[in-house]
Amino acid sequence: MSFSIIGTGSKSPSQIKTNDDLAQVMDTSDEWIQSKTGIRERRILGEETITDLVVESSLLALEDAGVQAKELDLIICATVTSDYITPSMACIVQRRIGANCPAFDISAACAGFLYAWDIADGYFIRKPDSKILVVGAEAVSKLVDWNDRSTAVIFGDGAGAVVLGRGEGLKAVKLNTRGDETALYAKYKKGNCPFRDNGVDETGQPGGHATFLHMEGQRVFQFAVSSMCRDLKNIVKQAGLELDNVDYVLPHQANQRIIDYAISRLPLAPEKYLGNIAYRGNTSAAAIPILLDEFAKQGQFKKGDILAFSSFGAGLTSAAAILEWDK
Ligand code: UT7
């Protein structure tokens, strides 16, 4: 395979909202949220924007890598909650960090960060000396209906980034999609085109851009559990390894109970699963890069460690990767 991680960075909003804070604005409780999800608190955007967080996490990753923005060959940003519909988040960040390479976003929801790795892998095969910035960023607080307690309580906002350089770190990456537009979605409204529906959308109001996020929680839960167990088993095989060879699993931080299911079904010691959901919540495409950066900065990984990644989300998409830590 084609690349190694040479720098990581992440940035979360400064505003912390605990489960008790949520119970002030909706009918829920700390007891319900903790027992059903493992989440105690999450970060929610206040005055800063998601673009600000992406810029900061990108600069931190570049600094960690010892790479100048102008040396970048490509920027890929995985997000479905950019501040703009167009231009892409990646284009805005390219200008703000002072890069001059091509830049684009991808939409693969929570699995987007690993989808971007697959794209980067192909790019490195064509241009092995590249330096690529891959970002996962999400401001789900802009998209959820804060009157829908079964969805709003699990999400948080944040951004994480990695700089990829030439290397042999990536051992395998695999993407899966099971198209489904009803389990987890947010839609554009119809707009106010005067040549359709008298220029009003389905709510009878003119204009508007998107509906709230709708999630069939239990259906997504079942997809998550089955895809995570299948993807982890398959990706280890694809990398020519055994599950025993995995030193750490970095799973999507969607719900602690999903991770606990995987722990109960796969022959891997529970302490190998890294997590931060208790204080970050589910940050969608940002979850894995934030988790990776936090544990990397704590010195958790040593050269030669085998890391297994697994993610899943709206689409329905899922993805897994195996990476040898060689930073
Ligand atoms: O990252 C993207 C992928 N997303 C996921 O992986 C999320 C997967 N799904 C889940 O994690 C879970 O489905 C949720 C945590 C979102 C919801 O848990 P659940 O066990 O599926 O709850 P539910 O929606 O089926 O609701 C069960 C009960 C209901 O009450 P009744 O009808 O049994 O009396 C709900 O009204 O829990 C109630 N409930 C709540 N009660 C207090 C739902 N949400 C809440 C809440 N506080 N926040």
Side-chain angles (χ1 to χ4, degrees), residues 26-29 32-33 36-37 110 149-151 153-155 184 215-222 224 252-255 257-258 282 284 312-314:
M26 65 181 78
D27 182 14
T28 191
S29 64
W32 192 96
I33 300 172
K36 287 283 198 172
T37 70
C110 304
R149 64 180 181 171
S150 63
T151 301
V153 299
I154 72 168
F155 289 105
L184 179 52
M215 181 169 72
E216 304 283 333
Q218 295 196 4
R219 277 177 64 201
V220 179
F221 193 99
Q222 280 160 13
H252 177 39
Q253 303 292 292
N255 181 332
R257 280 166 52 228
I258 294 172
N282 176 350
S284 183
F312 47 80

Side-chain angles (χ1 to χ4, degrees), residues 243-265:
L243 273 169
D244 264 1
N245 300 125
V246 172
D247 294 293
Y248 297 105
V249 182
L250 288 88
H252 177 39
Q253 303 292 292
N255 181 332
Q256 185 57 43
R257 280 166 52 228
I258 294 172
I259 299 166
D260 291 343
Y261 260 91
I263 291 173
S264 70
R265 288 179 187 190

